[in-house]
Amino acid sequence: MSSSGPLSAGGPNAPPAGGRLRALRRAWRRTLLGAGLATAVAAPAASAPAAAPVFSGQRAYQLLEEQCALGPRTPGSRGNRALRARILAAAAAARLRAVPVCFEAPLGPGGSPLEACNVVVSAGPTAGPRLWLGAHFDTRPWADLDPAPARRGEPIAGANDGASGTAVLLHLIELFGGSPPPQGVDLLFFDAEDSGAAHDASGFCLGSRHLVATRNEFGNPLAGLVPRGLVLLDLVGETGARIPQEGYSLAHAPAWTRLVFDRAADLGLGVFEPVPGPAVYDDHVPFLLAGIPAVNLIDFEYPQWHTLADTPDRCSPATLEQVGRLVTDLVYRP
Ligand SMILES: [Zn+2]
């Protein structure tokens, strides 16, 4: 994800100053409001609780570590291809349909195009209400906010930024294998989210933008589907995380955002705080622009963001478990 907008005064590698970032987020919010996003979201009626499997934070943490052990997962890299294969293998083991949606994406401004592939894994009934859950599985090619200037060209491990949300979705695949969901669920693994130049949102979220732009084309597994909404997971693994109501979600999908946070409150999940948070340009924005309710669950106050210190030791099974329990409940108690 991007903090959005040009940070001209500090140069591309300057660490973000809090006040400047807030101003940029406000600027992006204005831009999106100007684009006339739909804001109405219908909240589905509650139904009787169904037996839900237990989401394990320990298992999700293992899956986070496993991803980081593959090395950087930048688009076109060996680690990225290995993780895509791992997602497809997990879906096959759970007997779920998995469809890669490939496209070409430049790695940074002026970069030559590389193959990138989103993966859509589907479970549950094909008819009736659907839920979309998303996370980006690629990692940032440059640690451009690292405190050490000499190391800012190195790729990050992406434990929280990439692997955390992906770990939750990978564990859901395992749970779906044993307990088919009572509603249709599509897990959207986005590629090429994090290869933009710092402070220029146009280079970010290329996978989600492609998936939305082609969603009514032949071969796109989302063609013809209308979900209740999308829940995006990004930066959801930090030890001691605090996840407020992300700004674009709250502004453009307020009913869906409140439904998800009300559910977190019902479950007593203290990581989620029903207070307005910063607006972050992320993979949910293309969906909002297409009129699809979307909420971004993100802990954007992460000091190791886009640094070489975004490593598994910053993350915890306890945080992943709270996030996993929330999405598991949304799936099995529609
Ligand atoms: Zn990132």
Side-chain angles (χ1 to χ4, degrees), residues 1 136 140 161 193-194 305-306:
M1 77 305 309
H136 75 89
R140 187 153 182 77
D161 193 356
E193 188 277 341
D194 222 348
W305 183 55
H306 291 185

Side-chain angles (χ1 to χ4, degrees), residues 10 12-15 142-154 306-308:
N13 288 329
W142 320 280
D144 45 329
L145 295 180
D146 199 85
R151 302 196 60 189
R152 288 176 186 164
E154 298 177 28
H306 291 185
T307 74
L308 296 173

Side-chain angles (χ1 to χ4, degrees), residues 91-192:
R95 299 175 306 282
L96 302 179
R97 189 172 77 118
V99 181
V101 180
C102 299
F103 59 104
E104 290 198 328
L107 197 66
S112 50
L114 294 167
E115 184 186 64
C117 297
N118 303 305
V119 180
V120 178
V121 178
S122 302
T126 52
R130 300 194 77 76
L131 177 65
W132 289 355
L133 303 172
H136 75 89
F137 71 92
D138 64 307
T139 52
R140 187 153 182 77
W142 320 280
D144 45 329
L145 295 180
D146 199 85
R151 302 196 60 189
R152 288 176 186 164
E154 298 177 28
I156 68 168
N160 197 20
D161 193 356
S164 65
T166 303
V168 172
L169 298 192
L170 279 170
H171 186 32
L172 283 181
I173 290 177
E174 296 172 338
L175 298 180
F176 291 171
S179 306
Q183 64 179 323
V185 182
D186 302 293
L187 304 177
L188 316 182
F189 294 87
F190 302 118
D191 201 354

